Amino acid sequence: MTDATRAGPVVTLDGPAGSGKSTTAREVARRLGFRHLDSGSFYRALTYGLLQAGIGPDRWTGLGRADLDAIGVGVEPSGEGFQVLLESRPLMDEIRSPEVTSLVSTLASLGPVREWLLAIQREAGKRGCLVADGRDMGTVVFPGAEVKVFLTADLLERTRRRLKEQGVTTPTDEQVSQEAARIRERDRDDSERKLSPLRRPEGALELDTTRLTFEQQVETILERVREVSTASAEDDRARE
Ligand code: CDP
């Protein structure tokens, strides 16, 4: 059933690192005319902002709401998604650096951080017409989402995709094993943490993308959105 305060549905995509969530979510959002919320970029922006402020991981456990406010990280609707900002300056590739990637899961395990970002994410999604991707979109941030998807893929395939994103198309065995180890470690941290661990949301469509083309995975999700929208319109008509 659609929430009356929303202009349209929320679609969530959760899954481990490199499962293709963000690229898939962006394209699904584009085809639906919805906004894309890349929640990982919020965690990355906060990690980057803290490092820029000279606040290293050894001081993160003591951070409270006022400290997080003082970092100057913000989010604003932009184009077809949301832009993360630091002191009003748009953050781009700097939030995807190896340093940020290696530390982001440590920050994401902290309660005050998750609380602080929860408010921002819910505010961004309150009107619906949203495709949100991350680790806890369907379980914690938008538990009432109309469509929930859990994307997975083999570790090797996810490693290959990650390296390709970094411009490495013919990796050496050593590059593959190093990147696979980094992904495995982040997946373990994200799945084993106490707060909002990576989980398949109840009722989610599980999509293993290892052998699917990009078009197939996008189309499968769009098909689910259409089914749910048709069922909800029929419910509304039956109630009239
Ligand atoms: O794109 P990639 O899979 O590398 O990760 P991301 O979506 O940019 O997220 C970076 C990190 O932020 C994850 O490894 C999690 O530690 C954290 N995160 C989270 O805890 N909850 C979310 N909803 C999204 C990201």
Coordinates of all heavy atoms in Angstrom, one line a residue, residues 14-19 21-22 38-41 43-44 96 101 104-106 108-109 114 121 133-137 141 162 165 186 190 193 196, ligand 1:
D14 N 19.7 -3.3 -1.9 CA 20.7 -3.5 -1.0 C 21.6 -4.7 -1.5 O 21.2 -5.5 -2.3 CB 20.2 -3.9 0.4 CG 19.5 -2.8 1.1 OD1 20.2 -1.7 1.3 OD2 18.3 -2.8 1.4
G15 N 22.9 -4.7 -1.0 CA 23.7 -5.8 -1.4 C 25.2 -5.5 -1.0 O 25.5 -4.4 -0.6
P16 N 26.0 -6.5 -1.2 CA 27.5 -6.3 -0.9 C 28.2 -5.4 -1.9 O 27.7 -5.1 -2.9 CB 28.0 -7.8 -0.9 CG 27.1 -8.5 -1.8 CD 25.8 -7.8 -1.7
A17 N 29.5 -5.1 -1.5 CA 30.3 -4.3 -2.4 C 30.5 -4.9 -3.8 O 30.7 -6.0 -3.9 CB 31.7 -4.1 -1.7
G18 N 30.3 -4.0 -4.8 CA 30.5 -4.4 -6.1 C 29.5 -5.2 -6.8 O 29.6 -5.8 -7.8
S19 N 28.3 -5.3 -6.1 CA 27.2 -6.1 -6.7 C 26.4 -5.4 -7.8 O 25.5 -5.9 -8.4 CB 26.2 -6.6 -5.6 OG 25.8 -5.5 -4.9
K21 N 24.9 -2.3 -7.3 CA 23.7 -1.6 -6.8 C 23.6 -0.2 -7.4 O 22.6 0.2 -7.9 CB 23.8 -1.4 -5.3 CG 23.9 -2.7 -4.5 CD 24.0 -2.4 -3.0 CE 25.3 -1.5 -2.7 NZ 26.5 -2.2 -2.9
S22 N 24.7 0.6 -7.3 CA 24.6 2.0 -7.7 C 24.3 2.3 -9.1 O 23.4 3.0 -9.5 CB 25.8 2.8 -7.2 OG 25.8 2.9 -5.8
D38 N 22.1 7.4 -3.4 CA 23.2 6.5 -3.2 C 23.7 6.7 -1.8 O 24.5 7.6 -1.5 CB 24.3 7.0 -4.3 CG 25.7 6.3 -4.0 OD1 25.8 5.4 -3.1 OD2 26.6 6.7 -4.7
S39 N 23.2 5.9 -0.9 CA 23.4 6.2 0.5 C 24.9 6.0 0.9 O 25.4 6.6 1.8 CB 22.6 5.3 1.4 OG 22.9 3.9 1.2
G40 N 25.6 5.1 0.1 CA 27.0 4.9 0.4 C 27.8 6.2 0.2 O 28.8 6.5 0.9
S41 N 27.3 7.1 -0.7 CA 28.0 8.4 -0.9 C 27.9 9.2 0.4 O 28.8 10.0 0.6 CB 27.5 9.1 -2.1 OG 26.2 9.6 -1.9
Y43 N 27.9 8.0 3.5 CA 28.9 7.5 4.5 C 30.3 7.9 4.0 O 31.2 8.2 4.8 CB 28.8 6.0 4.6 CG 27.5 5.6 5.4 CD1 26.3 5.4 4.8 CD2 27.6 5.4 6.8 CE1 25.2 5.1 5.5 CE2 26.5 5.1 7.5 CZ 25.3 4.9 6.9 OH 24.2 4.6 7.6
R44 N 30.5 7.9 2.7 CA 31.8 8.2 2.2 C 32.1 9.7 2.4 O 33.3 10.1 2.8 CB 31.9 7.9 0.7 CG 32.0 6.4 0.4 CD 31.9 6.1 -1.1 NE 32.0 4.7 -1.4 CZ 33.2 4.1 -1.5 NH1 34.3 4.8 -1.5 NH2 33.2 2.8 -1.8
R96 N 35.7 8.4 -3.3 CA 36.0 7.0 -3.7 C 37.4 6.6 -3.7 O 37.9 5.6 -4.3 CB 35.4 6.8 -5.1 CG 34.1 7.4 -5.3 CD 33.1 6.7 -6.1 NE 31.8 7.3 -5.9 CZ 30.8 6.9 -5.1 NH1 31.0 5.7 -4.5 NH2 29.7 7.6 -4.9
T101 N 37.6 4.4 1.1 CA 37.0 3.0 0.9 C 37.5 2.1 2.0 O 36.7 1.3 2.6 CB 37.4 2.4 -0.5 OG1 36.9 3.3 -1.5 CG2 36.7 1.1 -0.7
V104 N 35.7 3.6 5.5 CA 34.2 3.9 5.6 C 33.4 2.9 6.4 O 32.5 3.3 7.2 CB 33.6 4.1 4.2 CG1 33.7 2.9 3.3 CG2 32.2 4.6 4.2
S105 N 33.8 1.6 6.4 CA 33.0 0.6 7.1 C 33.2 0.8 8.6 O 32.3 0.5 9.4 CB 33.3 -0.8 6.7 OG 32.9 -1.1 5.4
T106 N 34.4 1.3 9.0 CA 34.6 1.5 10.5 C 33.7 2.6 10.9 O 33.0 2.5 12.0 CB 36.1 2.0 10.7 OG1 36.9 1.0 10.1 CG2 36.4 2.2 12.1
A108 N 30.9 3.5 9.5 CA 29.5 3.1 9.4 C 29.0 2.1 10.5 O 27.9 1.9 10.6 CB 29.3 2.4 8.0
S109 N 30.0 1.7 11.3 CA 29.6 0.8 12.4 C 29.1 1.5 13.6 O 28.7 0.9 14.6 CB 30.7 -0.2 12.7 OG 31.8 0.5 13.3
R114 N 25.2 6.5 12.3 CA 24.1 5.9 11.5 C 22.8 6.7 11.9 O 22.0 7.0 11.0 CB 23.9 4.4 11.9 CG 25.0 3.6 11.5 CD 24.7 2.1 11.3 NE 24.0 1.9 10.0 CZ 24.6 1.8 8.8 NH1 25.9 1.7 8.7 NH2 23.9 1.7 7.7
Q121 N 18.7 10.7 5.3 CA 18.2 9.8 4.3 C 16.7 9.8 4.2 O 16.1 9.8 3.2 CB 18.7 8.4 4.5 CG 20.2 8.3 4.3 CD 20.8 6.9 4.8 OE1 20.8 6.0 4.1 NE2 21.2 6.9 6.1
D133 N 19.9 3.0 -2.9 CA 20.8 1.8 -2.7 C 21.8 1.9 -1.6 O 22.1 3.0 -1.2 CB 21.5 1.5 -4.1 CG 22.7 2.4 -4.3 OD1 23.8 2.0 -3.8 OD2 22.6 3.4 -5.0
G134 N 22.1 0.8 -1.0 CA 23.0 0.7 0.2 C 23.1 -0.6 0.8 O 23.1 -1.7 0.1
R135 N 23.1 -0.6 2.1 CA 23.2 -1.9 2.9 C 22.0 -2.1 3.7 O 21.6 -3.2 4.1 CB 24.4 -1.9 3.8 CG 25.8 -1.6 3.2 CD 26.1 -2.7 2.3 NE 27.5 -2.7 1.7 CZ 27.9 -1.8 0.7 NH1 27.0 -0.9 0.3 NH2 29.1 -1.8 0.3
D136 N 21.3 -1.0 4.1 CA 20.1 -1.1 5.1 C 18.9 -0.4 4.6 O 18.1 0.1 5.4 CB 20.5 -0.6 6.5 CG 20.9 0.8 6.5 OD1 21.2 1.4 5.4 OD2 21.0 1.5 7.6
M137 N 18.8 -0.2 3.3 CA 17.7 0.6 2.7 C 16.4 0.0 3.0 O 15.4 0.6 3.4 CB 17.9 0.9 1.2 CG 19.1 1.7 0.8 SD 19.1 3.3 1.5 CE 20.0 3.2 2.9
V141 N 16.2 1.9 6.8 CA 15.9 3.3 6.4 C 14.5 3.5 5.8 O 13.7 4.4 6.2 CB 17.0 3.8 5.4 CG1 16.7 5.3 5.0 CG2 18.4 3.8 6.1
R162 N 34.8 -4.2 -10.0 CA 35.5 -3.2 -9.2 C 36.8 -2.7 -9.9 O 37.0 -1.5 -10.0 CB 35.8 -3.7 -7.8 CG 35.1 -3.0 -6.6 CD 35.0 -1.6 -6.6 NE 33.7 -1.2 -6.8 CZ 32.8 -0.9 -5.8 NH1 33.2 -1.0 -4.6 NH2 31.6 -0.5 -6.1
E165 N 36.0 -0.7 -13.0 CA 35.7 0.7 -12.6 C 36.9 1.5 -12.4 O 36.9 2.7 -12.6 CB 34.9 0.6 -11.3 CG 33.4 0.8 -11.3 CD 32.8 0.5 -10.0 OE1 33.4 0.9 -8.9 OE2 31.7 -0.1 -10.0
R186 N 35.5 -5.8 3.7 CA 34.4 -4.8 3.8 C 33.1 -5.5 4.0 O 32.2 -5.2 4.8 CB 34.4 -3.9 2.7 CG 33.6 -2.6 2.9 CD 34.3 -1.4 2.3 NE 34.4 -1.5 0.8 CZ 33.5 -1.1 0.0 NH1 32.4 -0.5 0.4 NH2 33.7 -1.2 -1.3
D190 N 30.6 -5.1 7.2 CA 29.3 -4.6 7.0 C 28.2 -5.7 7.4 O 27.1 -5.3 7.8 CB 29.0 -4.2 5.5 CG 29.8 -3.0 5.1 OD1 30.2 -2.2 6.0 OD2 30.0 -2.8 3.9
R193 N 28.5 -6.3 11.7 CA 28.4 -5.2 12.7 C 27.0 -5.4 13.4 O 26.1 -5.9 12.8 CB 28.5 -3.9 12.0 CG 27.4 -3.5 11.1 CD 27.5 -2.1 10.5 NE 26.5 -1.9 9.5 CZ 26.6 -1.4 8.3 NH1 27.8 -1.0 7.9 NH2 25.6 -1.2 7.6
S196 N 22.4 -2.2 12.1 CA 22.0 -2.2 10.7 C 22.9 -3.0 9.8 O 23.4 -2.5 8.8 CB 21.9 -0.8 10.1 OG 21.1 0.0 10.9
Ligands
CDP1 O1 29.7 1.1 -3.8 P1 30.3 0.2 -2.8 O2 29.7 -1.1 -2.7 O3 31.8 0.2 -2.8 O4 30.0 0.9 -1.4 P2 29.1 2.1 -1.0 O5 27.7 1.8 -1.4 O6 29.7 3.3 -1.6 O7 29.2 2.1 0.6 C1 30.4 2.3 1.2 C2 30.3 1.8 2.7 O8 29.3 2.6 3.4 C3 29.8 0.4 2.8 O9 30.9 -0.6 2.7 C4 29.2 0.4 4.2 O10 30.2 0.3 5.2 C5 28.6 1.8 4.3 N1 27.2 1.9 4.1 C6 26.3 1.5 5.1 O11 26.8 1.1 6.2 N2 25.0 1.6 4.9 C7 24.5 2.0 3.7 N3 23.2 2.1 3.6 C8 25.4 2.4 2.7 C9 26.7 2.3 2.9

